[in-house]
Amino acid sequence: MNCNDLYEGEYKNGNPTYYVDKGCRILFTGHLEEYFKGKLSRECDIVNGIMEGIEKIYYDFEDCLEMYREVKENRNNGLSIEYYKNGQIMNIATAIDEYYIIDFYSYTEQGKQQEIWVLEEGEQWQHHCYYYTEDGKIRETWKRADIGLIAMNYAANKERIVQIRKRCQLEKRNKEILLCSKKDIQA
């Protein structure tokens, strides 16, 4: 359904709740589409008025995907993939509650590894970050503890992190992306 045919109510986690009626009493459930100047700019699944499932965002004035992400309760929860306009993957990541990135892999527009962040448990939760040169060698590595990571309750989310990692398999996806990029470069 076109978002212009729905009514927006209170905001939950930074995004509106969608209703079928003007009085905002009947929650919308279905597939939502948003258009910008006649072109599809965003689509997502809505359950009981909030984003739940898959959200896709498209580049303005282009017929290409900018972002694909799994959402729950109006927030990124799980896998997200961002794309360059040429269709090449810009990055893949997993997150909990929008702001807490679990793991992150980014690529150049030519498909080469740019950086990797892997969340690890230690004295404190932190990302082990790897930055790569253009020829694919590790340029530098360091550990980083973000303020957001410090604020996150890991005891409550540890099992969610394990489940998301198991389901999304970013390390495996990263290898496949790099393999496909090498084949494209050699062709």
Side-chain angles (χ1 to χ4, degrees), residues 55-70:
E55 178 185 34
K56 295 178 185 177
I57 299 170
Y58 298 89
Y59 280 102
D60 290 340
F61 310 112
E62 306 283 336
D63 288 324
C64 56
L65 191 60
E66 181 177 358
M67 180 187 293
Y68 166 100
R69 67 185 196 149
E70 297 173 343

Side-chain angles (χ1 to χ4, degrees), residues 1-8 18-22 26 28 31-35:
M1 176 172 282
N2 190 320
C3 69
N4 293 328
D5 297 329
L6 298 171
Y7 299 90
E8 292 183 7
Y18 292 98
Y19 293 87
V20 175
D21 63 316
K22 192 173 187 174
I26 304 169
F28 172 72
H31 191 75
L32 176 108
E33 294 180 347
E34 190 173 319
Y35 292 86

